[in-house]
Amino acid sequence: MSASVSEQRWRSALLSPTGVVAVLGLAVLLFLVIFGPVIWGGQSVTADPSALSKKPSSLHPFGTDAGGRDVFTRTMTATQLSVLMALIASAMGVLVGTVLGVLPSVLPKFLGRFILAGINFAIAFPGLLITIVLSVIFGQGAVGAVFAIGLAIVPAYARLTSTLSASVQGRDFVAAAKVLGVSRFGLLTRHIVPNIAAPLVVNASVTAGGALIAFAGLSYLGLGVQQPDFDWGRMLNEGLLKIFVNPATALAPGIAVVFSGIVFTLLGETIARTTGANQGLNFRLPRWLKAAGTRQLAANEAADAENGQIQEPVLRVRGLRVSAPHKTGWTDPVQQVSFDVGRGEIVGIVGGKSLSCMAVAQLTDYSA
């Protein structure tokens, strides 16, 4: 995709209603994360004994909690802890899930199947159940909640990554890279990961929104942030205890959680629009490699012509036969194929070309 087309897609996505709302919402969250504790930090912990559980007023837009602290300033201040912890958990889950998801594509088959079996086993359990169990294991507190949510994200993200990488692994350019001797690490970094990055980034944004809601849920249950710290989930817990007396104390953190979740979801939608046409699989040889190969081929041909040497074929195949399993037994889709490929020569094979070339390169699982 050219730079102008890419810029046009970004501009179109950002100027759409979804993009505008996502950008503005992200700007608000970023402002509150950076400046929220600076502006409202002192007021959020200041208790007023004469204003316990007060209803909304001009001085306290969302009222006060049971300790006489302003709910609005506490909600603004809690943005930093709530968002940062959710982002850390998401980054942990996405990173570990991506690594586990791409490993089966380059590891030996028995190791890859073992990893996939572990992923499938873990994904069979509900994510909420895994989160709660892990939070109990790690203990109460923000750190334990981050590890619990991050590890709970891993199975689903690893499954997504493994599915995407498997679809890329079977492409011809990956097979060509294997024939050229590209290392397993090179296959990952140069051919597999770049071609699955777009959907992974989109899902990472949506995952961040889910992690934020999960973090608030753990704090609401008493498994997340503990006193004297506070986040939106803990404020919800405290507000719901007084919901029939002062509903606004639970309304403010609830609005914050919903708003943040919507922002991350819309951000993912915006990114998806910009990368939707760029999810095709791309493989191009570097220019220097093309030029070097062309120069070397011309030099070899000139030297052979000058010396009067007869060129030997670079590839000679005789009686190639490939057997593959079939529901009625074994079948031979390729039989008695013979051909020579000379230096700089292009040979066309009609019928069975892919399987024949894969067998010659020893990239097929079938007997040849």
Side-chain angles (χ1 to χ4, degrees):
M1 180 182 294
S2 63
S4 59
V5 175
S6 178
E7 292 176 0
Q8 184 178 1
R9 291 185 63 85
W10 272 104
R11 189 180 301 109
S12 175
L14 293 177
L15 293 179
S16 66
T18 301
V20 171
V21 174
V23 172
L24 292 178
L26 188 63
V28 171
L29 286 180
L30 185 62
F31 175 82
L32 293 177
V33 167
I34 298 175
F35 299 106
V38 177
I39 299 175
W40 296 288
Q43 302 177 41
S44 64
V45 295
T46 301
D48 185 0
S50 63
L52 303 180
S53 300
K54 288 291 184 179
K55 293 184 178 181
S57 62
S58 58
L59 185 61
H60 305 289
F62 288 92
T64 60
D65 61 8
R69 295 162 297 194
D70 183 69
V71 174
F72 173 77
T73 58
R74 287 174 67 82
T75 303
M76 298 297 102
T77 304
T79 303
Q80 184 181 79
L81 182 61
S82 300
V83 174
L84 288 182
M85 293 296 100
L87 291 179
I88 293 173
S90 301
M92 179 192 306
V94 168
L95 179 61
V96 177
T98 301
V99 172
L100 288 179
V102 299
L103 283 180
S105 299
V106 294
L107 289 179
K109 286 193 173 181
F110 73 95
L111 289 178
R113 290 172 180 172
F114 178 78
I115 293 176
L116 287 177
I119 294 173
N120 292 332
F121 177 79
I123 207 172
F125 295 92
L128 179 60
L129 178 62
I130 296 177
T131 303
I132 294 176
V133 171
L134 290 177
S135 63
V136 173
I137 294 175
F138 289 120
Q140 295 178 335
V143 176
V146 168
F147 277 100
I149 295 172
L151 293 179
I153 292 172
V154 170
Y157 213 84
R159 182 61 179 171
L160 171 65
T161 306
S162 65
T163 302
L164 293 173
S165 59
S167 65
V168 176
Q169 184 186 10
R171 302 300 293 242
D172 291 340
F173 64 84
V174 176
K178 292 179 180 179
V179 173
L180 293 174
V182 177
S183 65
R184 293 177 178 178
F185 181 77
L187 288 175
L188 280 180
T189 57
R190 293 168 54 187
H191 301 293
I192 295 179
V193 173
N195 282 297
I196 64 175
L200 291 182
V201 171
V202 173
N203 280 274
S205 177
V206 178
T207 299
L212 189 145
I213 296 175
F215 192 79
L218 287 181
S219 295
Y220 173 78
L221 295 175
L223 298 173
V225 175
Q226 304 296 312
Q227 291 182 348
D229 297 325
F230 57 93
D231 70 331
W232 292 333
R234 185 163 189 84
M235 292 182 63
L236 272 173
N237 180 287
E238 297 171 353
L240 287 177
L241 296 177
K242 300 286 185 179
I243 192 169
F244 295 107
V245 178
N246 185 10
T249 56
L251 184 62
I255 292 175
V257 172
V258 174
F259 172 77
S260 301
I262 292 176
V263 167
F264 283 113
T265 302
L266 294 181
L267 180 63
E269 292 290 335
T270 303
I271 297 175
R273 290 188 178 187
T274 62
T275 59
N278 197 29
Q279 292 182 11
L281 304 178
N282 302 306
F283 173 73
R284 293 185 297 175
L285 287 175
R287 293 182 178 178
W288 64 267
L289 184 57
K290 291 181 180 179
T294 302
R295 289 194 299 268
Q296 185 63 39
L297 178 60
N300 292 339
E301 290 178 348
D304 292 341
E306 182 179 352
N307 298 329
Q309 296 180 355
I310 300 176
Q311 296 184 4
E312 290 292 330
V314 295
L315 175 64
R316 175 171 292 166
V317 178
R318 292 292 181 269
L320 177 64
R321 175 182 177 183
V322 179
S323 299
H326 190 263
K327 61 182 179 180
T328 59
W330 285 82
T331 183
D332 299 329
V334 176
Q335 301 181 37
Q336 299 301 319
V337 175
S338 301
F339 59 88
D340 293 338
V341 180
R343 182 183 300 167
E345 184 180 8
I346 299 176
V347 176
I349 302 176
V350 180
K353 55 184 178 297
S354 298
L355 191 55
S356 299
C357 293
M358 294 285 285
V360 171
Q362 298 181 355
L363 295 175
T364 177
D365 296 332
Y366 308 134
S367 59

